[in-house]
Amino acid sequence: MGSIVGKAMDDNLAKMQEFQLNTMKMQLERQLQMQNQMRERMMAMQISGARERLNYYGAFYALVAVGGLGATLKRKTPTPILPLFPLTFILAYQYDMAYGTMIQRMREGSEHIISDEYDLLNLPAGLPTFETIEAARLKQKGE
């Protein structure tokens, strides 16, 4: 009689553990999906911001170019257009960030660091543990 009750309890325990495992797995999958969607939205915002900055910077560059060319023609000296040289590099950088392949190059560089230079990613004191987090929490609560 006792073995029947014990077997039923063991079966219920096994079912409960399997249910908890499936629930935790589903929760983890949802958290990963949510984090990925948040990352994608943040990247979209950054790209959109880069495109918006490019619009303003392009207008500034055009204004400097027109003014510099006008002053160069009036003064007969190339000095007024000299600021265009560094501004051209900055404009090219902004364009590459907004519409070019900079993001793909950054992704490839990140993958290289993760695969070949992983030691650069280690935290200074290692990963936080439950004990260190709990100690900091208790210290803050005590203050």
Side-chain angles (χ1 to χ4, degrees), residues 69-103:
L69 287 174
T72 297
L73 294 175
K74 184 176 181 181
R75 295 184 185 175
K76 306 286 188 220
T77 177
T79 307
I81 62 168
L82 288 179
L84 285 180
F85 291 112
L87 292 178
T88 302
F89 287 103
I90 296 171
L91 181 65
Y93 175 83
Q94 293 287 338
Y95 179 83
D96 191 26
M97 183 182 292
Y99 295 103
T101 60
M102 180 181 283
I103 292 177

Side-chain angles (χ1 to χ4, degrees), residues 37-91:
Q37 286 184 13
M38 292 302 293
R39 180 193 61 82
E40 288 172 349
R41 291 175 184 179
M42 292 299 294
M43 286 184 69
M45 285 293 292
Q46 289 177 347
I47 293 169
S48 177
R51 290 178 178 175
E52 192 65 27
R53 276 189 303 278
L54 178 65
N55 291 336
Y56 282 98
Y57 191 77
F60 171 72
Y61 182 84
L63 183 66
V64 170
V66 169
L69 287 174
T72 297
L73 294 175
K74 184 176 181 181
R75 295 184 185 175
K76 306 286 188 220
T77 177
T79 307
I81 62 168
L82 288 179
L84 285 180
F85 291 112
L87 292 178
T88 302
F89 287 103
I90 296 171
L91 181 65

